[in-house]
Amino acid sequence: MRMSGAQVEPTADRAGRSGALTRRGVLKGAAVTVGLAAGIGATRPAYAAEESVSATARMGGNSITMSVVDGALRWSAQHDGRTVIDTSALGLRLSDGTVLGSHVTVTRNQHWTLHTTWSPVYGRNATVTDHYQEQRWNLEDTASGLRFGVQIRAYKTGVALRYVLLDTGTATVSDELTTFAFPDGTTVYSARDEDVYNPVAPDSIPVTGTSGTDSGPLTDLPLTATLSGELIACVCESSRIDFPRLMLGSVPGQPNTLAAFLMEHTARGTGPVATDSTVTTPFATPWRAVVIGSTHAELVDNAELVLNLAPPSALTDTSWIKPGKVFRCELTTAAGLAGVDFAVARGLQYIEYDAGWYGPEFSTPDATKPIAAIDLPTVVSYATSKGIGVFLYVNRLALTDADSLFGLYKSWGVAGIKLGFINDGTQAMTNQVTGWAQTAAEYRLLIDMHDDVRPFGYERTYPNFISLEGVRGNEHFPTATHNVTLPFARNIGGPMDYTICYGQSRDTTTNAHQMAMAAVYYQPLNFLFWYDKPSKYSNPANWPGLPWFNAIPTTWDESRTLAGSIGEYVAVARRNGDTWYLGAMTNETSRTLSIPLSFLGGGTYTATVYADGTPGTNPYQTPVMVSTRTVTSESTLDVAMAGAGGQAIILKPS
C-alpha cells in the first residue's frame, strides 16, 4: 500500500506551519501520529502470546524482522540475505519493574510503504528520497495489561526500529532492553567522550567511567561495525526528544552482542543523576537506526537515513539560515575588524569570538558584557556592513536564562552562537539541548553545540541547529587514521564541527590532507584556519591551497563517495551548482586511488589538482603542488597521496 507523507508523518509538519514548535509540541506530535496511525494500512489478526509470529519490512535488499517467540519480542536484520543483526532482544523496563516485551500478545499488525521526497535547507544533497516499508505491531503485556507497540522500517539505506507507549497518561522508563547481536567476526569501532576510535570485538568494549559518570564497557553512538567482506553498518539514533541519550555496551557471556544503555549521568558527570525518565504518553521513543552499506563507500552515502527518521522542520521561514565558513578571531577589536577583512578576502561567511570574549569562561557566569579589549558593537556593525555574520561563544555556565541572553545577542546583530561544554546524556540534558535550539530559532540565531553532544537528526527539525562537535577534534592534531575513520563513523550521524588546521606545524598530516577535509566531511558550518591569524596569509603565494578554501562551499546539491575503507582511505566528490569538489585522504600509508570521473556531466572540465609534493621530514612539511588538466566523464584520475596525505580537486566546466 502506498501512502502520502502527509498521512503517515503529518503532525510535526502541520504544526510547523504556524511557527516554531515547542519541545512538547514536537513530542506530542510524534506520539499522537503513532496513535492515529493505528487505523492506517493493512491490518492483520491478533495473535496469542504463546504463538510464534513474525513481521518483516523489506526495501532495496535490506530487511528487518520482528518476532514473538514463546511470548518474547525479538528482532533481526539482513542485507541481500546476509546477516547484519542476528536474533536480538526487544523491550523496555519500567520503573516499577514491569518488562514490556518479555510476554506479549500482538493485538494489531499494520504495514505500508511510503515514497516521498523532501528538500533540506542545507545538506549533502538538494533532495532527499524518503522511501521505506514499515511494519507496526500493537502489543499488550499479558501480565500488566499495558499497551505498547513496536515500529520497524526498511529503507534502501538501512533499517530502524522504535517503541511506542500507547496508553494515555504517563510512564516512567528505567531501561531499554534492545540488543544488537552481530555475526561472528564483527569488529566495532568504539569511542567514548570524544576519544579516538578503538577497533575491537563487540565483547571487548573498554571499561570506562568514574564513580560520577556512567561506568562500564560502554561506547557512544554512532557505532560502526565491519562485517564480512565489504559489508558495514553504523548504529545511530534519530528523533531523540524528551529521552536520554543511547550508549551501547558489551554483554557478559554474549561475545557478539551489544546492549542498549540509557544514560543516567551527563556525559562527563557534570549534572544530576537520573536513573529513569518519565514521559507523557502516548510516546514514541527515539529511532534506533542501522545505516547499512554493501561497501564502505556506500555507507557514507546512506547517512541521510538519520534525517529521514527525524521530524520535519518545525520552522516556517528558514531563509535566514545560511551555512558557511567561519574564522575565529583573537580577543581584541582590531583582531575582529581584521577578521572581517580576512573573511571577505577569503570567501568566508562568518567570524567568531571564542572563549574569553566576556571573561574567563569557567568563572564568569555573565555573558552579556564583552571584555574591555573588544568593542563588540563596532565589530558587529563593521561585519554587517561587509556581509559577514558574527558568532559568539558561550559556556554552559552562562546559560541560566537562554531566552534573555539570546534575545540580547539578537538585538546586537549577532548571527549565531557556539555553546561550549554541553555534555548531554540524561533526559533533562536532551531537553536542554533541544530547548536551546528552539529558543535560538525564535531569535533567528544559528547554533553550534560543542563538546560531548551526539547527533540525532535534530538539524532537520530545527535547521538552525547547524552543527555540533561530539568528536575527537582536529584541534588535537589527531592521526591520519583517525581522520579517515570519521567519515564512516561519527559523520554518519550528522554534521560535524572539525576545525580544519591548514598549514599548522603541529599537524600529523599533510596540508593537502587538511584541505581535502572540506570536501570529505559533511560540515555545513566549517571553521577554517584554526589557530591562525590573517597576517599568516599576507603573502598568498606562500600558501597555494588558499584558492581551494576560497572557493569550496559547505552545502551541496549532490554528493558521491567514490572510494573508501574505514581507517584506511576515503574519496568523496560533492557538487554545488555545476562545479564538483573532490577530496581524498589516506592514513599513514601512501597510496594511489584510480578514480573514474563518470559522475561528471557532458562536455569538458578543468581539473585543478592540489596534491602532495615530495614528502618532508614531517607530514606537515610536505608541499602542496598545483596542476591543471582537462578531463571528461570518460577520464580516470590517478590520485596519488603521500603517507598521511591527500588531494583536493576542483572540477569546473570548461
Side-chain angles (χ1 to χ4, degrees), residues 230-262:
E230 279 283 287
L231 189 61
I232 188 169
C234 185
V235 181
C236 303
E237 66 176 343
S238 184
S239 192
R240 171 162 51 95
I241 299 167
D242 198 28
F243 209 69
R245 194 173 96 191
L246 178 68
M247 300 180 77
L248 296 178
S250 298
V251 179
Q254 300 183 47
N256 295 320
T257 298
L258 296 178
F261 179 85
L262 300 180

PDB file of all heavy atoms in Angstrom, residues 230-262:
ATOM      1  N   GLU A 230      32.916  -6.618   2.440  1.00  0.00           N
ATOM      2  CA  GLU A 230      32.817  -5.162   2.463  1.00  0.00           C
ATOM      3  C   GLU A 230      31.600  -4.667   3.241  1.00  0.00           C
ATOM      4  O   GLU A 230      31.401  -3.462   3.372  1.00  0.00           O
ATOM      5  CB  GLU A 230      32.749  -4.629   1.025  1.00  0.00           C
ATOM      6  CG  GLU A 230      34.088  -4.513   0.333  1.00  0.00           C
ATOM      7  CD  GLU A 230      34.848  -3.289   0.834  1.00  0.00           C
ATOM      8  OE1 GLU A 230      34.480  -2.155   0.480  1.00  0.00           O
ATOM      9  OE2 GLU A 230      35.815  -3.487   1.587  1.00  0.00           O
ATOM     10  N   LEU A 231      30.762  -5.582   3.737  1.00  0.00           N
ATOM     11  CA  LEU A 231      29.537  -5.189   4.423  1.00  0.00           C
ATOM     12  C   LEU A 231      29.876  -4.410   5.689  1.00  0.00           C
ATOM     13  O   LEU A 231      30.743  -4.810   6.471  1.00  0.00           O
ATOM     14  CB  LEU A 231      28.711  -6.427   4.760  1.00  0.00           C
ATOM     15  CG  LEU A 231      27.287  -6.198   5.289  1.00  0.00           C
ATOM     16  CD1 LEU A 231      26.437  -5.449   4.267  1.00  0.00           C
ATOM     17  CD2 LEU A 231      26.639  -7.542   5.624  1.00  0.00           C
ATOM     18  N   ILE A 232      29.170  -3.304   5.891  1.00  0.00           N
ATOM     19  CA  ILE A 232      29.457  -2.410   7.010  1.00  0.00           C
ATOM     20  C   ILE A 232      28.145  -1.794   7.484  1.00  0.00           C
ATOM     21  O   ILE A 232      27.205  -1.605   6.703  1.00  0.00           O
ATOM     22  CB  ILE A 232      30.476  -1.320   6.587  1.00  0.00           C
ATOM     23  CG1 ILE A 232      30.934  -0.485   7.786  1.00  0.00           C
ATOM     24  CG2 ILE A 232      29.924  -0.452   5.470  1.00  0.00           C
ATOM     25  CD1 ILE A 232      32.128   0.427   7.464  1.00  0.00           C
ATOM     26  N   ALA A 233      28.044  -1.502   8.772  1.00  0.00           N
ATOM     27  CA  ALA A 233      26.829  -0.926   9.342  1.00  0.00           C
ATOM     28  C   ALA A 233      27.204   0.080  10.416  1.00  0.00           C
ATOM     29  O   ALA A 233      28.269  -0.029  11.037  1.00  0.00           O
ATOM     30  CB  ALA A 233      25.938  -2.022   9.929  1.00  0.00           C
ATOM     31  N   CYS A 234      26.331   1.047  10.631  1.00  0.00           N
ATOM     32  CA  CYS A 234      26.568   2.072  11.644  1.00  0.00           C
ATOM     33  C   CYS A 234      25.290   2.285  12.442  1.00  0.00           C
ATOM     34  O   CYS A 234      24.244   2.649  11.873  1.00  0.00           O
ATOM     35  CB  CYS A 234      27.011   3.376  10.990  1.00  0.00           C
ATOM     36  SG  CYS A 234      27.463   4.677  12.165  1.00  0.00           S
ATOM     37  N   VAL A 235      25.345   2.048  13.752  1.00  0.00           N
ATOM     38  CA  VAL A 235      24.197   2.233  14.634  1.00  0.00           C
ATOM     39  C   VAL A 235      24.134   3.696  15.061  1.00  0.00           C
ATOM     40  O   VAL A 235      25.107   4.243  15.603  1.00  0.00           O
ATOM     41  CB  VAL A 235      24.295   1.324  15.871  1.00  0.00           C
ATOM     42  CG1 VAL A 235      23.068   1.505  16.767  1.00  0.00           C
ATOM     43  CG2 VAL A 235      24.437  -0.143  15.453  1.00  0.00           C
ATOM     44  N   CYS A 236      22.996   4.328  14.798  1.00  0.00           N
ATOM     45  CA  CYS A 236      22.770   5.740  15.151  1.00  0.00           C
ATOM     46  C   CYS A 236      21.429   5.853  15.858  1.00  0.00           C
ATOM     47  O   CYS A 236      20.652   4.898  15.912  1.00  0.00           O
ATOM     48  CB  CYS A 236      22.739   6.613  13.886  1.00  0.00           C
ATOM     49  SG  CYS A 236      24.212   6.533  12.854  1.00  0.00           S
ATOM     50  N   GLU A 237      21.143   7.043  16.384  1.00  0.00           N
ATOM     51  CA  GLU A 237      19.795   7.312  16.863  1.00  0.00           C
ATOM     52  C   GLU A 237      19.270   8.565  16.200  1.00  0.00           C
ATOM     53  O   GLU A 237      20.032   9.434  15.763  1.00  0.00           O
ATOM     54  CB  GLU A 237      19.716   7.405  18.387  1.00  0.00           C
ATOM     55  CG  GLU A 237      20.440   8.545  19.040  1.00  0.00           C
ATOM     56  CD  GLU A 237      20.201   8.572  20.561  1.00  0.00           C
ATOM     57  OE1 GLU A 237      19.253   7.931  21.043  1.00  0.00           O
ATOM     58  OE2 GLU A 237      20.980   9.236  21.259  1.00  0.00           O
ATOM     59  N   SER A 238      17.933   8.629  16.099  1.00  0.00           N
ATOM     60  CA  SER A 238      17.285   9.781  15.480  1.00  0.00           C
ATOM     61  C   SER A 238      16.003  10.087  16.237  1.00  0.00           C
ATOM     62  O   SER A 238      15.425   9.212  16.878  1.00  0.00           O
ATOM     63  CB  SER A 238      16.971   9.484  14.006  1.00  0.00           C
ATOM     64  OG  SER A 238      16.431  10.622  13.361  1.00  0.00           O
ATOM     65  N   SER A 239      15.582  11.342  16.144  1.00  0.00           N
ATOM     66  CA  SER A 239      14.348  11.786  16.791  1.00  0.00           C
ATOM     67  C   SER A 239      14.396  11.567  18.299  1.00  0.00           C
ATOM     68  O   SER A 239      13.414  11.150  18.908  1.00  0.00           O
ATOM     69  CB  SER A 239      13.130  11.066  16.178  1.00  0.00           C
ATOM     70  OG  SER A 239      11.927  11.659  16.584  1.00  0.00           O
ATOM     71  N   ARG A 240      15.539  11.912  18.900  1.00  0.00           N
ATOM     72  CA  ARG A 240      15.653  11.826  20.366  1.00  0.00           C
ATOM     73  C   ARG A 240      15.045  13.078  20.972  1.00  0.00           C
ATOM     74  O   ARG A 240      15.636  14.151  20.952  1.00  0.00           O
ATOM     75  CB  ARG A 240      17.107  11.659  20.796  1.00  0.00           C
ATOM     76  CG  ARG A 240      17.301  11.787  22.316  1.00  0.00           C
ATOM     77  CD  ARG A 240      18.601  11.208  22.820  1.00  0.00           C
ATOM     78  NE  ARG A 240      19.779  11.657  22.132  1.00  0.00           N
ATOM     79  CZ  ARG A 240      20.556  12.668  22.510  1.00  0.00           C
ATOM     80  NH1 ARG A 240      20.239  13.400  23.565  1.00  0.00           N
ATOM     81  NH2 ARG A 240      21.644  12.974  21.830  1.00  0.00           N
ATOM     82  N   ILE A 241      13.866  12.929  21.517  1.00  0.00           N
ATOM     83  CA  ILE A 241      13.129  14.041  22.104  1.00  0.00           C
ATOM     84  C   ILE A 241      12.600  13.593  23.465  1.00  0.00           C
ATOM     85  O   ILE A 241      11.952  12.550  23.572  1.00  0.00           O
ATOM     86  CB  ILE A 241      11.964  14.486  21.184  1.00  0.00           C
ATOM     87  CG1 ILE A 241      12.522  14.953  19.832  1.00  0.00           C
ATOM     88  CG2 ILE A 241      11.133  15.583  21.831  1.00  0.00           C
ATOM     89  CD1 ILE A 241      11.472  15.101  18.761  1.00  0.00           C
ATOM     90  N   ASP A 242      12.927  14.354  24.523  1.00  0.00           N
ATOM     91  CA  ASP A 242      12.455  14.064  25.871  1.00  0.00           C
ATOM     92  C   ASP A 242      12.847  12.654  26.317  1.00  0.00           C
ATOM     93  O   ASP A 242      12.063  11.946  26.948  1.00  0.00           O
ATOM     94  CB  ASP A 242      10.934  14.241  25.956  1.00  0.00           C
ATOM     95  CG  ASP A 242      10.446  14.384  27.393  1.00  0.00           C
ATOM     96  OD1 ASP A 242      11.221  14.862  28.228  1.00  0.00           O
ATOM     97  OD2 ASP A 242       9.288  13.999  27.669  1.00  0.00           O
ATOM     98  N   PHE A 243      14.099  12.265  26.003  1.00  0.00           N
ATOM     99  CA  PHE A 243      14.545  10.909  26.314  1.00  0.00           C
ATOM    100  C   PHE A 243      16.056  10.927  26.486  1.00  0.00           C
ATOM    101  O   PHE A 243      16.736  11.776  25.900  1.00  0.00           O
ATOM    102  CB  PHE A 243      14.151   9.961  25.169  1.00  0.00           C
ATOM    103  CG  PHE A 243      13.898   8.535  25.600  1.00  0.00           C
ATOM    104  CD1 PHE A 243      12.797   8.213  26.373  1.00  0.00           C
ATOM    105  CD2 PHE A 243      14.750   7.514  25.201  1.00  0.00           C
ATOM    106  CE1 PHE A 243      12.549   6.897  26.753  1.00  0.00           C
ATOM    107  CE2 PHE A 243      14.516   6.198  25.577  1.00  0.00           C
ATOM    108  CZ  PHE A 243      13.409   5.885  26.350  1.00  0.00           C
ATOM    109  N   PRO A 244      16.620  10.014  27.278  1.00  0.00           N
ATOM    110  CA  PRO A 244      18.074  10.006  27.455  1.00  0.00           C
ATOM    111  C   PRO A 244      18.806   9.609  26.175  1.00  0.00           C
ATOM    112  O   PRO A 244      18.239   8.993  25.268  1.00  0.00           O
ATOM    113  CB  PRO A 244      18.290   8.948  28.544  1.00  0.00           C
ATOM    114  CG  PRO A 244      16.953   8.686  29.133  1.00  0.00           C
ATOM    115  CD  PRO A 244      15.948   8.999  28.085  1.00  0.00           C
ATOM    116  N   ARG A 245      20.085   9.927  26.159  1.00  0.00           N
ATOM    117  CA  ARG A 245      20.938   9.527  25.052  1.00  0.00           C
ATOM    118  C   ARG A 245      21.261   8.040  25.168  1.00  0.00           C
ATOM    119  O   ARG A 245      21.397   7.506  26.269  1.00  0.00           O
ATOM    120  CB  ARG A 245      22.231  10.334  25.075  1.00  0.00           C
ATOM    121  CG  ARG A 245      23.045  10.239  23.797  1.00  0.00           C
ATOM    122  CD  ARG A 245      24.219  11.190  23.847  1.00  0.00           C
ATOM    123  NE  ARG A 245      25.439  10.518  24.288  1.00  0.00           N
ATOM    124  CZ  ARG A 245      26.556  11.158  24.610  1.00  0.00           C
ATOM    125  NH1 ARG A 245      26.591  12.479  24.589  1.00  0.00           N
ATOM    126  NH2 ARG A 245      27.631  10.491  24.981  1.00  0.00           N
ATOM    127  N   LEU A 246      21.390   7.398  24.025  1.00  0.00           N
ATOM    128  CA  LEU A 246      21.688   5.972  23.980  1.00  0.00           C
ATOM    129  C   LEU A 246      23.185   5.725  23.886  1.00  0.00           C
ATOM    130  O   LEU A 246      23.885   6.359  23.091  1.00  0.00           O
ATOM    131  CB  LEU A 246      21.001   5.334  22.763  1.00  0.00           C
ATOM    132  CG  LEU A 246      21.255   3.840  22.528  1.00  0.00           C
ATOM    133  CD1 LEU A 246      20.608   3.010  23.643  1.00  0.00           C
ATOM    134  CD2 LEU A 246      20.714   3.409  21.163  1.00  0.00           C
ATOM    135  N   MET A 247      23.686   4.810  24.718  1.00  0.00           N
ATOM    136  CA  MET A 247      25.013   4.226  24.563  1.00  0.00           C
ATOM    137  C   MET A 247      24.830   2.724  24.331  1.00  0.00           C
ATOM    138  O   MET A 247      23.730   2.184  24.535  1.00  0.00           O
ATOM    139  CB  MET A 247      25.879   4.468  25.798  1.00  0.00           C
ATOM    140  CG  MET A 247      26.112   5.937  26.123  1.00  0.00           C
ATOM    141  SD  MET A 247      27.137   6.181  27.608  1.00  0.00           S
ATOM    142  CE  MET A 247      28.771   5.834  26.945  1.00  0.00           C
ATOM    143  N   LEU A 248      25.892   2.065  23.904  1.00  0.00           N
ATOM    144  CA  LEU A 248      25.868   0.618  23.753  1.00  0.00           C
ATOM    145  C   LEU A 248      26.975   0.020  24.604  1.00  0.00           C
ATOM    146  O   LEU A 248      28.040   0.624  24.778  1.00  0.00           O
ATOM    147  CB  LEU A 248      26.054   0.208  22.292  1.00  0.00           C
ATOM    148  CG  LEU A 248      24.972   0.637  21.311  1.00  0.00           C
ATOM    149  CD1 LEU A 248      25.330   0.203  19.896  1.00  0.00           C
ATOM    150  CD2 LEU A 248      23.612   0.073  21.702  1.00  0.00           C
ATOM    151  N   GLY A 249      26.731  -1.188  25.124  1.00  0.00           N
ATOM    152  CA  GLY A 249      27.718  -1.836  25.972  1.00  0.00           C
ATOM    153  C   GLY A 249      27.869  -3.313  25.678  1.00  0.00           C
ATOM    154  O   GLY A 249      26.923  -3.968  25.218  1.00  0.00           O
ATOM    155  N   SER A 250      29.058  -3.843  25.933  1.00  0.00           N
ATOM    156  CA  SER A 250      29.292  -5.279  25.798  1.00  0.00           C
ATOM    157  C   SER A 250      28.422  -6.044  26.798  1.00  0.00           C
ATOM    158  O   SER A 250      28.087  -5.541  27.871  1.00  0.00           O
ATOM    159  CB  SER A 250      30.764  -5.606  26.039  1.00  0.00           C
ATOM    160  OG  SER A 250      31.597  -4.981  25.094  1.00  0.00           O
ATOM    161  N   VAL A 251      28.087  -7.289  26.422  1.00  0.00           N
ATOM    162  CA  VAL A 251      27.227  -8.127  27.260  1.00  0.00           C
ATOM    163  C   VAL A 251      28.017  -9.345  27.718  1.00  0.00           C
ATOM    164  O   VAL A 251      28.471 -10.133  26.885  1.00  0.00           O
ATOM    165  CB  VAL A 251      25.975  -8.578  26.482  1.00  0.00           C
ATOM    166  CG1 VAL A 251      25.099  -9.469  27.363  1.00  0.00           C
ATOM    167  CG2 VAL A 251      25.191  -7.373  25.989  1.00  0.00           C
ATOM    168  N   PRO A 252      28.214  -9.528  29.021  1.00  0.00           N
ATOM    169  CA  PRO A 252      28.961 -10.702  29.506  1.00  0.00           C
ATOM    170  C   PRO A 252      28.341 -12.005  29.009  1.00  0.00           C
ATOM    171  O   PRO A 252      27.119 -12.184  29.058  1.00  0.00           O
ATOM    172  CB  PRO A 252      28.853 -10.584  31.025  1.00  0.00           C
ATOM    173  CG  PRO A 252      28.590  -9.128  31.275  1.00  0.00           C
ATOM    174  CD  PRO A 252      27.772  -8.655  30.115  1.00  0.00           C
ATOM    175  N   GLY A 253      29.184 -12.899  28.489  1.00  0.00           N
ATOM    176  CA  GLY A 253      28.717 -14.196  28.035  1.00  0.00           C
ATOM    177  C   GLY A 253      28.100 -14.202  26.656  1.00  0.00           C
ATOM    178  O   GLY A 253      27.711 -15.264  26.156  1.00  0.00           O
ATOM    179  N   GLN A 254      27.991 -13.033  26.028  1.00  0.00           N
ATOM    180  CA  GLN A 254      27.445 -12.948  24.668  1.00  0.00           C
ATOM    181  C   GLN A 254      28.463 -12.205  23.804  1.00  0.00           C
ATOM    182  O   GLN A 254      28.401 -10.983  23.660  1.00  0.00           O
ATOM    183  CB  GLN A 254      26.101 -12.232  24.663  1.00  0.00           C
ATOM    184  CG  GLN A 254      25.037 -12.927  25.508  1.00  0.00           C
ATOM    185  CD  GLN A 254      23.687 -12.235  25.419  1.00  0.00           C
ATOM    186  OE1 GLN A 254      23.205 -11.889  24.343  1.00  0.00           O
ATOM    187  NE2 GLN A 254      23.061 -12.025  26.570  1.00  0.00           N
ATOM    188  N   PRO A 255      29.420 -12.928  23.221  1.00  0.00           N
ATOM    189  CA  PRO A 255      30.590 -12.285  22.612  1.00  0.00           C
ATOM    190  C   PRO A 255      30.306 -11.372  21.430  1.00  0.00           C
ATOM    191  O   PRO A 255      31.120 -10.499  21.138  1.00  0.00           O
ATOM    192  CB  PRO A 255      31.459 -13.482  22.190  1.00  0.00           C
ATOM    193  CG  PRO A 255      30.529 -14.646  22.135  1.00  0.00           C
ATOM    194  CD  PRO A 255      29.500 -14.399  23.185  1.00  0.00           C
ATOM    195  N   ASN A 256      29.192 -11.550  20.758  1.00  0.00           N
ATOM    196  CA  ASN A 256      28.901 -10.721  19.578  1.00  0.00           C
ATOM    197  C   ASN A 256      27.831  -9.674  19.822  1.00  0.00           C
ATOM    198  O   ASN A 256      27.390  -9.010  18.878  1.00  0.00           O
ATOM    199  CB  ASN A 256      28.467 -11.615  18.407  1.00  0.00           C
ATOM    200  CG  ASN A 256      29.571 -12.524  17.936  1.00  0.00           C
ATOM    201  OD1 ASN A 256      30.727 -12.111  17.857  1.00  0.00           O
ATOM    202  ND2 ASN A 256      29.235 -13.771  17.631  1.00  0.00           N
ATOM    203  N   THR A 257      27.403  -9.506  21.063  1.00  0.00           N
ATOM    204  CA  THR A 257      26.218  -8.697  21.350  1.00  0.00           C
ATOM    205  C   THR A 257      26.561  -7.411  22.081  1.00  0.00           C
ATOM    206  O   THR A 257      27.368  -7.394  23.016  1.00  0.00           O
ATOM    207  CB  THR A 257      25.219  -9.518  22.188  1.00  0.00           C
ATOM    208  OG1 THR A 257      24.808 -10.658  21.421  1.00  0.00           O
ATOM    209  CG2 THR A 257      23.991  -8.694  22.546  1.00  0.00           C
ATOM    210  N   LEU A 258      25.918  -6.328  21.644  1.00  0.00           N
ATOM    211  CA  LEU A 258      25.931  -5.062  22.367  1.00  0.00           C
ATOM    212  C   LEU A 258      24.513  -4.770  22.845  1.00  0.00           C
ATOM    213  O   LEU A 258      23.535  -5.074  22.153  1.00  0.00           O
ATOM    214  CB  LEU A 258      26.418  -3.923  21.470  1.00  0.00           C
ATOM    215  CG  LEU A 258      27.863  -4.016  20.976  1.00  0.00           C
ATOM    216  CD1 LEU A 258      28.187  -2.842  20.061  1.00  0.00           C
ATOM    217  CD2 LEU A 258      28.839  -4.061  22.142  1.00  0.00           C
ATOM    218  N   ALA A 259      24.399  -4.168  24.028  1.00  0.00           N
ATOM    219  CA  ALA A 259      23.094  -3.877  24.624  1.00  0.00           C
ATOM    220  C   ALA A 259      22.904  -2.387  24.789  1.00  0.00           C
ATOM    221  O   ALA A 259      23.859  -1.639  25.043  1.00  0.00           O
ATOM    222  CB  ALA A 259      22.968  -4.568  25.985  1.00  0.00           C
ATOM    223  N   ALA A 260      21.660  -1.947  24.649  1.00  0.00           N
ATOM    224  CA  ALA A 260      21.317  -0.543  24.857  1.00  0.00           C
ATOM    225  C   ALA A 260      21.549  -0.148  26.308  1.00  0.00           C
ATOM    226  O   ALA A 260      21.312  -0.927  27.234  1.00  0.00           O
ATOM    227  CB  ALA A 260      19.860  -0.296  24.477  1.00  0.00           C
ATOM    228  N   PHE A 261      22.020   1.089  26.487  1.00  0.00           N
ATOM    229  CA  PHE A 261      22.187   1.666  27.825  1.00  0.00           C
ATOM    230  C   PHE A 261      21.715   3.107  27.762  1.00  0.00           C
ATOM    231  O   PHE A 261      22.260   3.918  27.013  1.00  0.00           O
ATOM    232  CB  PHE A 261      23.644   1.611  28.279  1.00  0.00           C
ATOM    233  CG  PHE A 261      23.873   2.222  29.632  1.00  0.00           C
ATOM    234  CD1 PHE A 261      23.684   1.475  30.783  1.00  0.00           C
ATOM    235  CD2 PHE A 261      24.243   3.555  29.761  1.00  0.00           C
ATOM    236  CE1 PHE A 261      23.876   2.051  32.045  1.00  0.00           C
ATOM    237  CE2 PHE A 261      24.439   4.128  31.010  1.00  0.00           C
ATOM    238  CZ  PHE A 261      24.250   3.370  32.156  1.00  0.00           C
ATOM    239  N   LEU A 262      20.666   3.434  28.520  1.00  0.00           N
ATOM    240  CA  LEU A 262      20.158   4.799  28.588  1.00  0.00           C
ATOM    241  C   LEU A 262      20.950   5.561  29.640  1.00  0.00           C
ATOM    242  O   LEU A 262      20.987   5.166  30.810  1.00  0.00           O
ATOM    243  CB  LEU A 262      18.672   4.802  28.933  1.00  0.00           C
ATOM    244  CG  LEU A 262      17.759   4.069  27.948  1.00  0.00           C
ATOM    245  CD1 LEU A 262      16.304   4.138  28.418  1.00  0.00           C
ATOM    246  CD2 LEU A 262      17.885   4.648  26.533  1.00  0.00           C
TER     247      LEU A 262
END
